[in-house]
């Protein structure tokens, strides 16, 4: 079976339907090099020279699926903007810092951010399916993966177990759905076994960037660890596809409610119409818009930042025109690590 998926010079005609729908195939065949990026845009590799230093600092990764949703030759494509390297990532005009939220100093054990009294966030891996250029943890992309994963996760479980105030654990990354399924199952089970842990939450962009990762087996496993909530990150209405809708439907059918955390991004969703279409589209597929994040002053993301008054104007117009069910809270994660505030 051929799918005839074709985007610009990136021909996927030879891909069988089975491979295309296999998340491991999608992961293995991610676009990771300048050569591939040039071929996709049907440009000579030399024309991408300004991007070479960007890739050295912030590697690229794009799944064939996510690539198939965009026009790789259109610099203004809102999906392309989220994953193609941009020389502006290396200019820090606004004085961005690598870790403005001081996450590294709020870690009682490596990888566990404990900033609020009742909930903490476990970074179980640094790997993602697609490297979002606006990522607030992009500083971590180049860090070598620490070995001994099970021991690292055990140290997090131990911290949660000895901290009775913690009633919720957010399992995040990177993308937690990219660690081995038995390891994730074990980790969720170990947390679930702690009497004061009431709620588990997964933070993953896989439904958007690698929807085939949501398999019946994964859903059956997650279902055993309920009450479990799932937050994902749709940023543009074109990310709501047949595939991502199916992935979310499977999670919902397993009894896992889904929330969405968008990031307000210049040239992606910083206008009323795109935002309205995104939020209403999410509710149509039973996803509750949860947060709209002001893009943090992270090094390498200046060109994505929208002025707060612009964000407030968009929010106000949304508030007047769409259902309360569709409205996220517009929040700013405060520099210095003091937490999120509603704008
Ligand atoms: C955002 C965040 C949370 C979760 O906060 P909610 O407002 O409950 O979504 C927890 N820990 C850290 C470190 C966070 O950044
Ligand atoms: S999915 Fe999240 S953690 Fe991963 S690169 Fe994108 S923004 Fe960063």
């Amino acid at each position: 079976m051929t799918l005839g998926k074709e985007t610009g010079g990136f021909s996927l005609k030879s891909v069988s339907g089975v491979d295309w729908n296999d998340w491991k195939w999608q992961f293995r065949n991610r676009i990771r090099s300048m050569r591939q990026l040039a071929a996709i845009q049907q440009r000579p590799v030399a024309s991408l020279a300004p991007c070479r230093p960007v890739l050295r600092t912030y590697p690229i990764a794009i799944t064939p699926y996510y690539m198939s949703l965009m026009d790789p030759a259109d610099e203004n494509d809102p999906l392309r903007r989220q994953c193609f390297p941009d020389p502006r990532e290396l200019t820090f005009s606004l004085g961005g810092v690598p870790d403005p939220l001081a996450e590294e100093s709020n870690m009682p054990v490596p990888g566990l951010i404990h900033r609020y009294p009742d909930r903490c966030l476990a970074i179980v891996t640094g790997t993602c399916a697609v490297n979002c250029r606006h990522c607030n943890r992009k500083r971590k992309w180049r860090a070598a993966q620490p070995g001994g994963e099970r021991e690292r996760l055990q140290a997090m479980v131990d911290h949660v177990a000895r901290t009775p105030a913690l009633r919720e654990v957010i399992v995040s990354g990177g993308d937690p759905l990219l660690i081995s399924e038995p390891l994730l199952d074990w980790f969720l089970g170990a947390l679930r076994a702690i009497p004061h842990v009431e709620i588990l939450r997964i933070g993953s962009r896989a439904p958007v960037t690698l929807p085939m990762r949501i398999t019946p087996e994964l859903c059956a496993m997650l279902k055993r660890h309920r009450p479990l909530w799932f937050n994902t990150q749709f940023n543009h209405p074109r990310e709501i596809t047949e595939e991502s809708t199916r992935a979310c439907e499977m999670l919902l059918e397993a009894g896992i409610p889904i929330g969405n955390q968008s990031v307000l991004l210049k040239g992606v969703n910083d206008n009323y119409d795109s935002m309205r279409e995104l939020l209403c589209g999410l509710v149509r597929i039973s996803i509750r818009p949860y947060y709209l994040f002001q893009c943090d002053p992270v090094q390498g993301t200046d060109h994505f930042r929208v002025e707060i008054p612009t964000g407030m104007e968009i929010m106000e117009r949304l508030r007047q025109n769409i259902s309360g069910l569709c409205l996220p809270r517009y929040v700013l994660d405060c520099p210095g690590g003091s937490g999120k505030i509603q704008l």
Side-chain angles (χ1 to χ4, degrees):
M1 183 176 132
T2 43
L3 287 181
K5 296 250 181 199
E6 191 160 4
T7 55
F10 188 46
S11 174
L12 294 167
K13 275 196 170 141
S14 55
V15 175
S16 76
V18 171
D19 279 348
W20 184 264
N21 293 317
D22 173 359
W23 73 268
K24 289 183 176 157
W25 181 90
Q26 288 279 342
F27 190 79
R28 260 198 323 273
N29 287 283
R30 294 180 308 160
I31 289 84
R32 303 229 59 193
S33 71
M34 293 271 289
R35 191 182 46 76
Q36 291 170 302
L37 208 54
I40 287 159
Q41 299 174 78
Q42 295 179 299
R43 289 169 62 171
V45 74
S47 72
L48 295 182
C51 290
R52 194 173 289 283
V54 182
L55 260 63
R56 270 199 294 269
T57 309
Y58 303 120
I60 55 161
I62 309 169
T63 55
Y65 163 78
Y66 196 67
M67 184 65 86
S68 77
L69 306 182
M70 70 188 77
D71 177 356
D74 177 6
E75 285 185 18
N76 295 319
D77 186 292
L79 275 57
R80 182 189 132 128
R81 268 177 194 260
Q82 292 181 65
C83 60
F84 270 50
D86 186 314
R88 289 175 294 180
E89 289 174 61
L90 297 180
T91 58
F92 309 133
S93 58
L94 295 180
V97 293
D99 178 23
L101 308 178
E103 290 187 335
E104 308 289 345
S105 61
N106 278 311
M107 286 188 191
V109 298
L112 190 81
I113 311 172
H114 187 178
R115 182 194 293 160
Y116 304 106
D118 73 328
R119 56 207 191 277
C120 63
L121 186 148
I123 299 181
V124 299
T125 174
T127 305
C128 283
V130 168
N131 286 350
C132 313
R133 311 317 292 183
H134 56 272
C135 180
N136 63 5
R137 298 205 180 104
K138 67 198 288 185
R139 68 180 185 278
K140 291 198 165 281
W141 291 351
R142 294 205 67 82
Q145 283 300 311
E149 285 205 279
R150 170 82 183 239
E151 291 71 47
R152 230 164 39 83
L153 298 184
Q154 181 68 56
M156 298 185 195
V157 171
D158 294 344
H159 173 81
V160 175
R162 63 176 176 257
T163 315
L166 284 173
R167 41 172 296 284
E168 175 174 344
V169 181
I170 299 155
V171 178
S172 182
D175 194 327
L177 302 187
L178 294 179
I179 66 171
S180 91
E181 209 160 295
L183 185 66
L184 183 60
D185 187 18
W186 167 80
F187 187 54
L188 294 171
L191 293 168
R192 173 55 68 224
I194 299 168
H196 55 265
V197 173
E198 297 168 19
I199 302 290
L200 298 174
R201 192 198 309 182
I202 298 244
S204 160
R205 211 184 173 197
V208 181
T209 55
L210 184 66
M212 7 347 238
R213 177 64 192 95
I214 312 300
T215 60
E217 296 73 30
L218 178 76
C219 292
M221 184 272 274
L222 295 178
K223 186 174 182 165
R224 289 199 302 275
H225 300 293
R226 288 187 304 156
L228 183 141
W229 295 64
F230 197 106
N231 269 1
T232 189
Q233 186 197 139
F234 285 86
N235 289 329
H236 191 273
R238 267 187 21 226
E239 292 168 345
I240 305 175
T241 62
E242 216 175 287
E243 288 91 340
S244 60
T245 300
R246 190 187 316 121
C248 292
E249 192 65 29
M250 287 167 70
L251 290 166
L252 291 164
E253 277 174 6
I256 300 164
I258 309 175
N260 188 66
Q261 308 189 163
S262 299
V263 187
L264 181 59
L265 300 169
K266 189 174 279 177
V268 175
N269 57 17
D270 60 334
N271 64 82
Y272 172 77
D273 290 323
S274 304
M275 198 50 89
R276 192 189 60 86
E277 206 186 318
L278 170 66
L279 299 172
C280 295
L282 289 170
V283 172
R284 240 178 357 251
I285 61 169
S286 304
I287 300 181
R288 176 76 162 97
Y290 178 62
Y291 281 149
L292 173 62
F293 278 110
Q294 175 66 19
C295 188
D296 295 321
V298 172
Q299 253 178 26
T301 64
D302 280 357
H303 57 296
F304 282 118
R305 206 153 305 112
V306 176
E307 299 293 324
I308 290 176
T310 308
M312 306 254 276
E313 255 169 56
I314 296 171
M315 280 304 296
E316 180 53 23
R317 207 171 145 202
L318 290 166
R319 204 186 54 74
Q320 288 170 5
N321 286 287
I322 64 175
S323 151
L325 211 50
C326 303
L327 283 182
R329 279 187 289 163
Y330 180 32
V331 294
L332 168 72
D333 218 339
C334 280
S338 52
K340 298 179 182 66
I341 54 162
Q342 186 166 351
L343 291 167

